[in-house]
Amino acid sequence: MSSLPIPGRLGLLAVAVCAFAACGKDDAAATPQPTASGPQLVSAPPPRDALPDCPRLASALGDLVEGLDVVDAAGTRQDSPESYGISCAWRAQEDGAAVGAIVIVDTAPLTAAEMQRAGMYVEDPRVAALGGFVAIPDAVLDGNAPLGPVGPQVIVGPVTVTLAGNGRGRAAEITLDQAVDGAVSVHRSMR
């Protein structure tokens, strides 16, 4: 297992989204492109230097971040012996909406068995088609529930993609189903 415990990994994205929501940068958002369809089953994870940047993540996320301003087009990269990844955030000045996405590649990935023991495992057909599963607190994935600061983790092998929102403005309209669809699109865009 990675050196960062499961609750810590969930909290990392929540802190990033909240920090980016309060940030005062005024970068322009990338123009979203159609969602990549990619293969049904994933292959090896992307190497460190091939992780998507924020414009590429925005392209995969499409409508979820359309009309929001990217906080930093380069994103925030993390690299350690245990994992590497990128986090990106988008926000709207007018209504305070903020949405974040994080991609983590673990050398010792979280497994379905670990998530089952932690009470966080959910099987979802969209993610199962990629060979993965969803991890979410209390193992409850109510697709119509709003996305909050701790979103579902879509785990496929060593790659975890998580979305989160601050529940303000148009971010309050994003559902957990949409977050899972967005995470699946990100997974597919990296293959």
Side-chain angles (χ1 to χ4, degrees):
M1 193 130 108
S2 70
S3 63
L4 193 55
I6 294 164
R9 289 180 55 185
L10 289 170
L12 177 67
L13 183 60
V15 169
V17 169
C18 292
F20 288 136
C23 178
K25 284 190 176 181
D26 195 21
D27 298 334
T31 304
Q33 302 296 317
T35 302
S37 60
Q40 285 299 325
L41 293 176
V42 297
S43 56
R48 284 172 168 80
D49 60 349
L51 280 176
D53 57 11
C54 296
R56 187 168 158 211
L57 286 174
S59 177
L61 295 172
D63 290 345
L64 295 178
V65 297
E66 186 173 354
L68 299 177
D69 298 323
V70 67
V71 172
D72 178 358
T76 301
R77 303 237 174 204
Q78 65 98 11
D79 196 348
S80 71
E82 296 84 24
S83 65
Y84 56 94
I86 184 169
S87 61
C88 299
W90 298 265
R91 62 177 172 75
Q93 291 279 63
E94 65 279 359
D95 64 7
V99 176
I102 187 168
V103 177
I104 297 173
V105 180
D106 283 307
T107 57
L110 299 171
T111 66
E114 290 169 334
M115 293 297 93
Q116 287 169 336
R117 281 193 301 276
M120 297 177 65
Y121 175 87
V122 173
E123 192 168 316
D124 183 278
R126 298 165 289 185
V127 182
L130 299 173
F133 61 93
V134 175
I136 191 166
D138 300 324
V140 176
L141 181 61
D142 174 357
N144 294 319
L147 176 64
V150 179
Q153 294 185 47
V154 175
I155 302 171
V156 181
V159 181
T160 300
V161 177
T162 307
L163 300 180
N166 68 351
R168 290 197 233 151
R170 66 170 288 212
E173 300 170 10
I174 299 172
T175 66
L176 293 183
D177 261 348
Q178 291 171 308
V180 171
D181 285 340
V184 166
S185 292
V186 169
H187 273 287
R188 288 183 173 162
S189 74
M190 290 187 288
R191 306 302 173 215

